[in-house]
Amino acid sequence: MERVTVPIPGRSYDITIGTGLLDHAAEHLPDLAPASRAFVVVDQAIAADWLPRLEAGLAPRDLHVVPLAVPSGEPAKSMQVYGTLLHQLASQEAHREDVVIALGGGTVGDLAGFVASTYMRGVRLVHVPTTLIGQVDAAIGGKTAVNLPEGKNLVGSFYQPIAVLCDVAALASLPDRDFRSGLGEVAKYALTLDLELLDTLEADPAPILARETAALEPLVARCARLKAATVVADERDAGVRLFLNYGHTLGHALERLEAFAGRSHGEAIAIGMVFAARLAEARGICPPGLAGRTVRLLASLGLETDGALPPAHDILSAFRMDKKFHAGVRFVVLTEVGRPVVVDGVTDEELRTVLIEMGAPG
């Protein structure tokens, strides 16, 4: 078991990583008094498997667990589902001393976090992510949001949890596609911030792909440390935290244009990282070969790096709703692996050229 602290002044919390944590959740949480109820926002697809274990793990705290099931995946991140959860809390007379627990993947965490941040102007929040994306990225750092038809994560808040429990045992039963999607975020850390992790992934990803506990626990802990350090340095996405959006500008655009029903998040940002590498090469920002190396890494992790793209015009329009937009589209690119920068002033013609080269209809 490993513990990573996110030392935000006045709101510090721990990320606990291990195996079997759900069965002993009470041992790894801070004091929840005077809470008498835990409202568990849970992905309906995993509720039968993981909710009873969490409930048993919380039993020593004498908390009454109230499950609030939501749809799986991006459909949960809607204003309609968000409003339904608020009404459920109010109808059951939830109060500020109660706690909201997010049990599921990154989408459940984003939704539950937004609910917790706004109901009665804020109730305590605990993340219990059961997917790789949730454990290495989404549950850490306080970003909460729901989607609008116009774009991804357009309505949300920054709201830190009081604890994060990452039980890597949950990763053993993840569908292959969901696990590979999480590896997209792992690859992002490797390419942008952690050359040692990049070397490990390039040398032998087999233990990770086989989901060996001895490989997954240190992998999740390593990514958690990277995310925690970035969040402490830049909680509100004004500086270095922007680097964690590598691949996400195109990735989010693809998710929105496919109505959140096509590529998964990790699959979309994999395409986005290839695009960012090709853009950097086209601008002469990085040495030749970055795109090829990116493709080889992602392919070794089971992620597709090509495939049909929407029309370039539609993608360019979606870029304008990106949250990094500031008097124009901004992109996170690499000058070389491990050296991310944010570039301004990228023209539509530059973007269109690279998109068309990647197969987008002109």
Coordinates of all heavy atoms in Angstrom, one line a residue, residues 258-354:
E258 N -18.6 13.2 -31.8 CA -19.1 11.8 -31.9 C -20.2 11.6 -30.8 O -20.6 10.5 -30.5 CB -18.0 10.8 -31.7 CG -17.0 10.8 -32.8 CD -15.7 10.1 -32.5 OE1 -15.5 9.6 -31.3 OE2 -14.9 9.9 -33.4
A259 N -20.7 12.8 -30.3 CA -21.8 12.8 -29.3 C -21.6 11.9 -28.1 O -22.5 11.3 -27.6 CB -23.1 12.4 -30.0
F260 N -20.3 11.8 -27.7 CA -19.9 11.1 -26.5 C -20.3 9.6 -26.6 O -20.5 8.9 -25.6 CB -20.5 11.7 -25.2 CG -20.1 13.2 -25.1 CD1 -21.1 14.1 -25.3 CD2 -18.8 13.6 -24.8 CE1 -20.8 15.5 -25.2 CE2 -18.5 14.9 -24.7 CZ -19.5 15.9 -24.9
A261 N -20.4 9.1 -27.9 CA -20.9 7.7 -28.1 C -19.9 7.0 -29.0 O -20.2 5.9 -29.4 CB -22.3 7.7 -28.7
G262 N -18.8 7.6 -29.4 CA -17.8 7.0 -30.3 C -16.6 6.6 -29.5 O -16.7 5.6 -28.7
R263 N -15.5 7.2 -29.8 CA -14.2 6.9 -29.1 C -14.4 7.1 -27.6 O -15.0 8.1 -27.2 CB -13.1 7.7 -29.6 CG -12.7 7.3 -31.1 CD -11.6 8.3 -31.5 NE -11.1 7.9 -32.8 CZ -11.5 8.4 -34.0 NH1 -12.5 9.3 -34.0 NH2 -11.0 8.1 -35.1
S264 N -13.8 6.3 -26.8 CA -13.7 6.6 -25.4 C -12.7 7.7 -25.1 O -12.0 8.2 -26.0 CB -13.2 5.3 -24.6 OG -11.8 5.1 -24.9
H265 N -12.7 8.2 -23.9 CA -11.8 9.4 -23.6 C -10.3 9.0 -23.9 O -9.6 9.8 -24.6 CB -11.9 9.8 -22.1 CG -11.0 10.9 -21.7 ND1 -11.2 12.2 -22.2 CD2 -9.9 10.9 -20.9 CE1 -10.2 12.9 -21.7 NE2 -9.5 12.2 -20.9
G266 N -9.9 7.9 -23.5 CA -8.5 7.5 -23.7 C -8.2 7.3 -25.2 O -7.1 7.7 -25.7
E267 N -9.1 6.7 -25.9 CA -8.9 6.5 -27.3 C -8.9 7.9 -28.0 O -8.1 8.0 -29.0 CB -10.1 5.7 -27.9 CG -10.1 4.2 -27.4 CD -11.4 3.5 -27.6 OE1 -12.4 4.2 -27.9 OE2 -11.4 2.3 -27.5
A268 N -9.7 8.8 -27.6 CA -9.7 10.1 -28.3 C -8.4 10.9 -28.0 O -7.9 11.5 -28.9 CB -10.9 10.9 -27.8
I269 N -7.9 10.9 -26.7 CA -6.7 11.6 -26.5 C -5.5 10.9 -27.1 O -4.5 11.6 -27.4 CB -6.5 11.9 -25.0 CG1 -6.2 10.6 -24.2 CG2 -7.7 12.7 -24.4 CD1 -5.6 10.9 -22.8
A270 N -5.6 9.6 -27.3 CA -4.5 9.0 -28.1 C -4.3 9.6 -29.5 O -3.2 10.0 -29.9 CB -4.7 7.5 -28.2
I271 N -5.5 9.8 -30.2 CA -5.4 10.4 -31.5 C -5.0 11.9 -31.3 O -4.2 12.4 -32.1 CB -6.8 10.4 -32.1 CG1 -7.4 9.0 -32.3 CG2 -6.8 11.2 -33.4 CD1 -6.6 8.2 -33.3
G272 N -5.4 12.5 -30.2 CA -5.0 13.9 -29.9 C -3.5 14.0 -29.7 O -2.9 15.0 -30.1
M273 N -2.9 13.0 -29.1 CA -1.4 13.1 -28.8 C -0.6 13.0 -30.1 O 0.4 13.6 -30.3 CB -1.0 12.1 -27.8 CG -1.4 12.5 -26.4 SD -0.8 11.4 -25.1 CE -1.8 10.0 -25.2
V274 N -1.1 12.1 -31.0 CA -0.5 11.9 -32.3 C -0.6 13.3 -33.1 O 0.3 13.7 -33.7 CB -1.1 10.8 -33.1 CG1 -0.6 10.7 -34.5 CG2 -0.9 9.4 -32.4
F275 N -1.8 13.9 -33.0 CA -2.0 15.1 -33.7 C -1.1 16.2 -33.2 O -0.5 17.0 -33.9 CB -3.5 15.6 -33.5 CG -3.8 16.9 -34.1 CD1 -4.0 17.2 -35.4 CD2 -3.8 18.0 -33.2 CE1 -4.3 18.4 -35.9 CE2 -4.1 19.3 -33.7 CZ -4.3 19.5 -35.0
A276 N -1.0 16.3 -31.8 CA -0.1 17.3 -31.2 C 1.3 17.1 -31.6 O 2.1 18.1 -31.9 CB -0.2 17.2 -29.7
A277 N 1.8 15.8 -31.7 CA 3.2 15.5 -32.1 C 3.4 15.9 -33.6 O 4.4 16.5 -34.0 CB 3.5 14.1 -31.9
R278 N 2.4 15.7 -34.4 CA 2.5 16.0 -35.9 C 2.5 17.5 -36.0 O 3.2 18.1 -36.9 CB 1.4 15.4 -36.7 CG 1.6 13.8 -36.7 CD 0.5 13.2 -37.6 NE 0.7 13.5 -39.0 CZ 0.4 12.6 -40.0 NH1 -0.1 11.4 -39.7 NH2 0.5 13.0 -41.2
L279 N 1.7 18.2 -35.2 CA 1.6 19.7 -35.3 C 3.0 20.3 -34.9 O 3.5 21.2 -35.5 CB 0.5 20.2 -34.4 CG 0.4 21.7 -34.3 CD1 0.0 22.3 -35.6 CD2 -0.7 22.1 -33.2
A280 N 3.6 19.7 -33.8 CA 4.9 20.2 -33.3 C 5.9 20.0 -34.4 O 6.8 20.8 -34.6 CB 5.3 19.5 -32.0
E281 N 5.9 18.8 -35.1 CA 6.9 18.6 -36.1 C 6.7 19.5 -37.3 O 7.6 20.1 -37.9 CB 6.7 17.1 -36.6 CG 7.3 16.1 -35.7 CD 7.2 14.7 -36.2 OE1 6.8 14.5 -37.4 OE2 7.7 13.8 -35.5
A282 N 5.4 19.8 -37.7 CA 5.1 20.7 -38.8 C 5.5 22.1 -38.5 O 6.0 22.8 -39.4 CB 3.6 20.7 -39.1
R283 N 5.5 22.5 -37.2 CA 5.9 23.9 -36.9 C 7.4 23.9 -36.6 O 8.0 25.0 -36.3 CB 5.2 24.3 -35.6 CG 3.7 24.5 -35.8 CD 3.2 25.4 -34.6 NE 2.6 26.6 -35.0 CZ 2.5 27.7 -34.4 NH1 3.1 27.8 -33.2 NH2 1.9 28.8 -34.9
G284 N 8.1 22.8 -36.6 CA 9.5 22.8 -36.3 C 9.9 23.0 -34.9 O 11.0 23.4 -34.5
I285 N 8.9 22.7 -34.0 CA 9.1 22.9 -32.6 C 9.9 21.8 -31.9 O 10.6 22.0 -31.0 CB 7.7 23.0 -31.9 CG1 7.0 24.3 -32.3 CG2 7.8 23.0 -30.3 CD1 5.5 24.4 -31.8
C286 N 9.7 20.6 -32.5 CA 10.4 19.4 -32.0 C 11.2 18.7 -33.1 O 11.0 19.0 -34.2 CB 9.3 18.4 -31.4 SG 8.3 17.7 -32.7
P287 N 12.1 17.9 -32.7 CA 12.9 17.1 -33.7 C 12.0 16.2 -34.4 O 11.0 15.7 -33.9 CB 13.9 16.4 -32.8 CG 14.0 17.0 -31.5 CD 12.6 17.6 -31.3
P288 N 12.3 15.8 -35.7 CA 11.5 14.8 -36.4 C 11.5 13.5 -35.6 O 12.5 13.2 -35.0 CB 12.3 14.7 -37.7 CG 13.1 16.0 -37.9 CD 13.4 16.4 -36.5
G289 N 10.5 12.8 -35.8 CA 10.4 11.4 -35.2 C 9.5 11.4 -34.0 O 9.2 10.3 -33.5
L290 N 9.1 12.5 -33.4 CA 8.2 12.5 -32.2 C 6.9 11.8 -32.5 O 6.4 11.0 -31.7 CB 7.9 13.9 -31.7 CG 7.0 14.0 -30.5 CD1 7.5 13.3 -29.3 CD2 6.7 15.5 -30.2
A291 N 6.3 12.1 -33.7 CA 5.0 11.5 -34.0 C 5.1 10.0 -34.1 O 4.3 9.2 -33.7 CB 4.4 12.1 -35.3
G292 N 6.2 9.5 -34.8 CA 6.4 8.1 -35.0 C 6.6 7.4 -33.6 O 6.1 6.3 -33.4
R293 N 7.4 8.0 -32.7 CA 7.6 7.4 -31.4 C 6.3 7.4 -30.6 O 6.0 6.4 -29.9 CB 8.6 8.3 -30.6 CG 9.1 7.6 -29.3 CD 10.2 8.4 -28.7 NE 10.6 7.8 -27.4 CZ 11.6 8.3 -26.6 NH1 12.1 9.5 -27.0 NH2 11.9 7.7 -25.5
T294 N 5.5 8.4 -30.8 CA 4.2 8.4 -30.1 C 3.3 7.3 -30.6 O 2.6 6.6 -29.8 CB 3.5 9.8 -30.3 OG1 4.3 10.8 -29.8 CG2 2.1 9.9 -29.6
V295 N 3.3 7.1 -31.9 CA 2.4 6.1 -32.5 C 2.9 4.7 -32.0 O 2.1 3.8 -31.6 CB 2.5 6.1 -34.0 CG1 1.9 4.8 -34.6 CG2 1.7 7.3 -34.5
R296 N 4.2 4.5 -31.9 CA 4.7 3.2 -31.5 C 4.4 2.9 -30.0 O 4.0 1.8 -29.7 CB 6.2 3.1 -31.7 CG 6.7 3.0 -33.2 CD 8.1 2.7 -33.3 NE 9.0 3.8 -32.8 CZ 9.4 4.9 -33.4 NH1 9.0 5.0 -34.7 NH2 10.2 5.8 -32.9
L297 N 4.5 3.9 -29.2 CA 4.1 3.8 -27.8 C 2.7 3.4 -27.6 O 2.3 2.5 -26.9 CB 4.5 5.1 -27.0 CG 4.0 5.1 -25.6 CD1 4.7 4.1 -24.7 CD2 4.1 6.5 -25.0
L298 N 1.8 4.2 -28.2 CA 0.4 4.0 -28.1 C -0.1 2.7 -28.6 O -0.9 1.9 -28.0 CB -0.4 5.1 -28.7 CG -0.2 6.5 -28.1 CD1 -0.8 7.6 -28.9 CD2 -0.7 6.6 -26.7
A299 N 0.5 2.3 -29.8 CA 0.2 1.0 -30.4 C 0.6 -0.2 -29.5 O -0.1 -1.2 -29.3 CB 0.8 0.9 -31.7
S300 N 1.7 0.0 -28.8 CA 2.2 -1.1 -27.9 C 1.3 -1.2 -26.7 O 1.3 -2.3 -26.0 CB 3.6 -0.8 -27.4 OG 3.6 0.3 -26.4
L301 N 0.5 -0.2 -26.4 CA -0.5 -0.2 -25.3 C -1.9 -0.6 -25.7 O -2.8 -0.6 -24.9 CB -0.5 1.1 -24.6 CG 0.8 1.6 -24.0 CD1 0.7 3.0 -23.4 CD2 1.3 0.6 -22.9
G302 N -2.0 -0.9 -27.0 CA -3.3 -1.4 -27.5 C -4.2 -0.2 -27.9 O -5.4 -0.5 -28.1
L303 N -3.7 0.9 -28.2 CA -4.5 2.1 -28.5 C -4.4 2.4 -30.0 O -3.2 2.5 -30.5 CB -4.1 3.3 -27.7 CG -4.5 3.2 -26.2 CD1 -3.7 4.2 -25.4 CD2 -6.0 3.6 -26.1
E304 N -5.5 2.6 -30.7 CA -5.4 3.0 -32.1 C -4.9 4.4 -32.3 O -5.2 5.3 -31.5 CB -6.8 2.9 -32.7 CG -7.3 1.4 -32.8 CD -8.6 1.3 -33.6 OE1 -9.1 2.4 -34.0 OE2 -9.2 0.2 -33.7
T305 N -4.2 4.6 -33.3 CA -3.6 6.0 -33.6 C -4.1 6.5 -34.9 O -3.5 7.5 -35.4 CB -2.1 5.9 -33.5 OG1 -1.6 4.9 -34.5 CG2 -1.6 5.5 -32.2
D306 N -5.0 5.9 -35.5 CA -5.6 6.4 -36.7 C -7.1 6.1 -36.7 O -7.7 6.0 -35.7 CB -4.9 5.8 -38.0 CG -4.9 4.3 -38.0 OD1 -5.7 3.7 -37.2 OD2 -4.1 3.7 -38.7
G307 N -7.7 6.1 -37.9 CA -9.1 5.9 -37.9 C -9.8 7.1 -38.5 O -9.3 8.1 -38.6
A308 N -11.1 6.9 -38.8 CA -11.9 8.0 -39.4 C -12.0 9.2 -38.5 O -12.2 9.0 -37.3 CB -13.3 7.4 -39.8
L309 N -11.9 10.4 -39.1 CA -12.0 11.6 -38.4 C -13.2 12.4 -39.0 O -13.5 12.3 -40.2 CB -10.8 12.5 -38.5 CG -9.5 11.9 -37.8 CD1 -8.3 12.8 -38.1 CD2 -9.7 11.8 -36.3
P310 N -13.9 13.2 -38.2 CA -14.9 14.1 -38.7 C -14.3 15.1 -39.7 O -13.0 15.3 -39.7 CB -15.4 14.8 -37.5 CG -15.0 14.0 -36.3 CD -13.7 13.4 -36.7
P311 N -15.1 15.8 -40.4 CA -14.5 16.9 -41.3 C -13.7 17.9 -40.6 O -14.0 18.3 -39.4 CB -15.8 17.5 -41.9 CG -16.8 16.4 -41.8 CD -16.5 15.7 -40.6
A312 N -12.6 18.4 -41.2 CA -11.7 19.3 -40.6 C -12.5 20.6 -40.1 O -12.2 21.1 -39.1 CB -10.6 19.7 -41.6
H313 N -13.4 21.0 -40.9 CA -14.2 22.2 -40.6 C -14.9 22.0 -39.2 O -14.9 23.0 -38.4 CB -15.2 22.6 -41.7 CG -16.1 23.8 -41.3 ND1 -17.3 23.6 -40.7 CD2 -15.9 25.1 -41.5 CE1 -17.8 24.8 -40.5 NE2 -17.0 25.7 -41.0
D314 N -15.5 20.9 -39.0 CA -16.2 20.6 -37.8 C -15.3 20.6 -36.6 O -15.6 21.0 -35.5 CB -17.0 19.3 -37.9 CG -18.1 19.4 -38.9 OD1 -18.5 20.5 -39.3 OD2 -18.6 18.3 -39.3
I315 N -14.1 20.0 -36.8 CA -13.1 19.9 -35.7 C -12.6 21.3 -35.4 O -12.5 21.6 -34.2 CB -11.9 19.0 -36.1 CG1 -12.4 17.6 -36.3 CG2 -10.8 19.0 -35.1 CD1 -11.4 16.6 -36.9
L316 N -12.4 22.1 -36.4 CA -11.9 23.5 -36.1 C -13.0 24.3 -35.3 O -12.6 25.1 -34.4 CB -11.6 24.2 -37.4 CG -10.4 23.6 -38.1 CD1 -10.2 24.4 -39.5 CD2 -9.1 23.7 -37.3
S317 N -14.2 24.1 -35.6 CA -15.3 24.7 -34.9 C -15.3 24.3 -33.4 O -15.5 25.1 -32.5 CB -16.6 24.5 -35.6 OG -16.7 25.0 -36.9
A318 N -15.1 23.0 -33.2 CA -15.2 22.4 -31.9 C -14.0 22.9 -31.1 O -14.1 23.1 -29.8 CB -15.1 20.9 -31.9
F319 N -12.8 23.1 -31.7 CA -11.7 23.7 -31.0 C -12.0 25.0 -30.3 O -11.4 25.3 -29.2 CB -10.5 23.9 -32.0 CG -9.7 22.7 -32.4 CD1 -8.9 22.7 -33.5 CD2 -9.8 21.5 -31.7 CE1 -8.2 21.6 -33.9 CE2 -9.1 20.4 -32.0 CZ -8.3 20.4 -33.1
R320 N -12.9 25.8 -30.9 CA -13.1 27.1 -30.3 C -13.9 27.1 -29.0 O -14.0 28.1 -28.3 CB -13.9 28.0 -31.4 CG -13.0 28.4 -32.5 CD -13.7 29.4 -33.4 NE -14.5 28.8 -34.4 CZ -14.0 28.3 -35.6 NH1 -12.7 28.4 -35.9 NH2 -14.8 27.8 -36.5
M321 N -14.4 25.9 -28.7 CA -15.1 25.7 -27.4 C -14.1 25.1 -26.3 O -14.5 24.7 -25.2 CB -16.3 24.9 -27.5 CG -17.5 25.6 -28.2 SD -17.9 27.1 -27.4 CE -18.5 26.6 -25.8
D322 N -12.8 24.9 -26.7 CA -11.9 24.3 -25.8 C -11.6 25.3 -24.6 O -11.6 26.5 -24.8 CB -10.6 24.0 -26.5 CG -9.6 23.4 -25.6 OD1 -9.7 22.1 -25.4 OD2 -8.6 24.0 -25.1
K323 N -11.5 24.8 -23.4 CA -11.4 25.6 -22.2 C -10.0 26.4 -22.2 O -9.9 27.3 -21.4 CB -11.6 24.8 -21.0 CG -13.0 24.3 -20.8 CD -13.2 23.5 -19.5 CE -12.4 22.2 -19.5 NZ -12.7 21.3 -20.7
K324 N -9.0 25.9 -23.0 CA -7.7 26.6 -23.1 C -7.8 27.8 -24.0 O -6.8 28.6 -24.1 CB -6.6 25.7 -23.5 CG -6.4 24.5 -22.5 CD -5.2 23.7 -23.0 CE -5.5 23.0 -24.3 NZ -6.6 22.1 -24.3
F325 N -8.9 28.0 -24.7 CA -9.0 29.0 -25.7 C -8.8 30.4 -25.1 O -9.4 30.7 -24.0 CB -10.4 29.0 -26.4 CG -10.6 29.9 -27.5 CD1 -10.5 29.4 -28.8 CD2 -10.9 31.2 -27.4 CE1 -10.6 30.2 -29.9 CE2 -11.1 32.0 -28.5 CZ -11.0 31.5 -29.8
H326 N -7.9 31.2 -25.6 CA -7.6 32.5 -25.1 C -7.2 33.4 -26.3 O -6.0 33.4 -26.7 CB -6.5 32.4 -24.0 CG -6.1 33.7 -23.4 ND1 -7.0 34.4 -22.6 CD2 -5.0 34.5 -23.5 CE1 -6.4 35.5 -22.2 NE2 -5.2 35.6 -22.8
A327 N -8.1 34.1 -26.8 CA -7.9 34.9 -28.0 C -7.4 34.1 -29.1 O -6.6 34.5 -30.0 CB -6.9 36.1 -27.7
G328 N -7.8 32.8 -29.1 CA -7.4 31.9 -30.2 C -7.2 30.5 -29.6 O -7.1 30.4 -28.4
V329 N -7.0 29.5 -30.4 CA -6.8 28.2 -30.0 C -5.4 28.0 -29.5 O -4.4 28.4 -30.1 CB -7.1 27.2 -31.1 CG1 -6.9 25.7 -30.6 CG2 -8.5 27.3 -31.6
R330 N -5.2 27.4 -28.3 CA -3.9 27.1 -27.8 C -3.7 25.6 -27.7 O -4.7 24.9 -27.4 CB -3.7 27.7 -26.4 CG -3.8 29.3 -26.3 CD -3.4 29.8 -25.0 NE -4.4 29.4 -23.9 CZ -4.2 29.6 -22.6 NH1 -3.0 30.1 -22.2 NH2 -5.1 29.3 -21.8
F331 N -2.5 25.2 -27.9 CA -2.2 23.8 -27.9 C -1.0 23.5 -27.0 O -0.1 24.3 -26.9 CB -1.9 23.3 -29.3 CG -3.1 22.9 -30.1 CD1 -3.7 23.9 -30.8 CD2 -3.5 21.6 -30.1 CE1 -4.8 23.5 -31.6 CE2 -4.7 21.3 -30.8 CZ -5.3 22.2 -31.6
V332 N -1.1 22.3 -26.3 CA 0.0 21.8 -25.5 C 0.8 20.9 -26.5 O 0.2 20.0 -27.1 CB -0.4 21.0 -24.3 CG1 0.8 20.5 -23.6 CG2 -1.3 21.8 -23.4
V333 N 2.0 21.2 -26.7 CA 2.9 20.4 -27.6 C 4.2 20.1 -26.9 O 4.5 20.7 -25.8 CB 3.2 21.1 -29.0 CG1 1.9 21.3 -29.7 CG2 3.9 22.4 -28.7
L334 N 5.0 19.3 -27.5 CA 6.3 18.9 -26.9 C 7.4 19.5 -27.7 O 7.4 19.3 -29.0 CB 6.5 17.4 -26.8 CG 5.4 16.6 -26.0 CD1 5.7 15.1 -26.0 CD2 5.3 17.2 -24.5
T335 N 8.4 20.1 -27.1 CA 9.6 20.4 -27.8 C 10.5 19.2 -27.9 O 11.3 19.1 -28.9 CB 10.4 21.6 -27.1 OG1 10.7 21.2 -25.8 CG2 9.5 22.8 -27.1
E336 N 10.3 18.3 -27.0 CA 10.9 17.0 -27.1 C 10.2 16.2 -25.9 O 9.5 16.8 -25.1 CB 12.4 16.9 -26.9 CG 12.9 17.6 -25.6 CD 14.4 17.6 -25.4 OE1 15.0 16.5 -25.7 OE2 15.0 18.6 -25.2
V337 N 10.3 14.9 -25.9 CA 9.6 14.2 -24.8 C 10.1 14.7 -23.5 O 11.3 15.0 -23.2 CB 9.9 12.6 -24.9 CG1 9.2 12.0 -26.1 CG2 11.4 12.3 -24.9
G338 N 9.1 14.9 -22.6 CA 9.4 15.4 -21.3 C 9.5 16.9 -21.2 O 9.7 17.5 -20.1
R339 N 9.2 17.6 -22.3 CA 9.3 19.1 -22.3 C 8.1 19.7 -23.0 O 8.1 20.0 -24.2 CB 10.6 19.6 -23.0 CG 11.9 19.2 -22.3 CD 13.1 19.8 -22.9 NE 14.3 19.5 -22.2 CZ 14.8 20.3 -21.2 NH1 14.1 21.3 -20.8 NH2 15.9 19.9 -20.6
P340 N 7.0 19.8 -22.2 CA 5.8 20.4 -22.8 C 5.8 21.9 -22.8 O 6.4 22.5 -21.9 CB 4.7 19.8 -21.9 CG 5.4 19.6 -20.6 CD 6.8 19.3 -20.9
V341 N 5.1 22.5 -23.7 CA 4.9 23.9 -23.8 C 3.5 24.2 -24.3 O 2.9 23.3 -24.9 CB 5.9 24.7 -24.7 CG1 7.4 24.5 -24.1 CG2 5.9 24.2 -26.1
V342 N 3.0 25.4 -24.0 CA 1.7 25.8 -24.5 C 2.0 26.8 -25.6 O 2.7 27.8 -25.4 CB 0.8 26.5 -23.5 CG1 -0.5 27.0 -24.1 CG2 0.5 25.5 -22.3
V343 N 1.5 26.6 -26.8 CA 1.7 27.5 -27.9 C 0.4 28.2 -28.3 O -0.7 27.6 -28.3 CB 2.3 26.8 -29.2 CG1 3.6 26.2 -28.9 CG2 1.3 25.7 -29.7
D344 N 0.6 29.5 -28.6 CA -0.5 30.4 -29.0 C -0.4 30.6 -30.5 O 0.6 30.4 -31.1 CB -0.5 31.7 -28.3 CG -0.7 31.5 -26.8 OD1 -1.8 31.2 -26.3 OD2 0.3 31.7 -26.1
G345 N -1.4 31.2 -31.1 CA -1.4 31.7 -32.4 C -1.3 30.6 -33.5 O -0.8 30.9 -34.6
V346 N -1.8 29.4 -33.2 CA -1.8 28.4 -34.2 C -3.0 28.7 -35.2 O -4.1 28.9 -34.7 CB -2.0 27.0 -33.6 CG1 -1.9 25.9 -34.6 CG2 -1.0 26.7 -32.5
T347 N -2.7 28.8 -36.4 CA -3.7 29.2 -37.4 C -4.6 28.0 -37.8 O -4.2 26.9 -37.7 CB -3.0 29.8 -38.7 OG1 -2.3 28.7 -39.4 CG2 -2.1 30.9 -38.3
D348 N -5.8 28.4 -38.3 CA -6.7 27.3 -38.8 C -6.0 26.6 -39.9 O -6.3 25.4 -40.1 CB -8.0 28.0 -39.2 CG -8.9 28.3 -38.0 OD1 -8.5 28.0 -36.9 OD2 -10.0 28.8 -38.3
E349 N -5.3 27.3 -40.8 CA -4.7 26.6 -41.9 C -3.7 25.6 -41.5 O -3.6 24.5 -42.0 CB -4.0 27.6 -42.8 CG -3.6 27.1 -44.2 CD -4.8 26.4 -44.9 OE1 -5.9 27.0 -44.8 OE2 -4.6 25.4 -45.5
E350 N -2.9 25.9 -40.4 CA -1.9 24.9 -39.9 C -2.7 23.7 -39.4 O -2.3 22.5 -39.6 CB -1.1 25.5 -38.8 CG -0.1 26.5 -39.2 CD 0.6 27.1 -37.9 OE1 0.1 28.0 -37.3 OE2 1.7 26.6 -37.6
L351 N -3.7 23.9 -38.6 CA -4.5 22.8 -38.0 C -5.2 22.0 -39.1 O -5.2 20.8 -39.1 CB -5.5 23.4 -37.1 CG -5.0 24.2 -35.9 CD1 -6.1 24.9 -35.1 CD2 -4.2 23.3 -35.0
R352 N -5.8 22.7 -40.1 CA -6.4 22.0 -41.2 C -5.5 21.1 -41.9 O -5.8 19.9 -42.3 CB -7.1 23.0 -42.1 CG -7.9 22.3 -43.2 CD -8.6 23.3 -44.1 NE -9.6 24.1 -43.4 CZ -9.5 25.3 -43.0 NH1 -8.4 26.0 -43.3 NH2 -10.5 25.9 -42.4
T353 N -4.3 21.6 -42.2 CA -3.3 20.8 -42.9 C -3.0 19.5 -42.2 O -2.9 18.4 -42.8 CB -2.0 21.6 -43.1 OG1 -2.3 22.8 -43.9 CG2 -0.9 20.8 -43.8
V354 N -2.7 19.6 -40.9 CA -2.4 18.4 -40.2 C -3.6 17.4 -40.1 O -3.4 16.2 -40.2 CB -1.9 18.7 -38.8 CG1 -1.6 17.5 -38.0 CG2 -0.6 19.6 -38.8

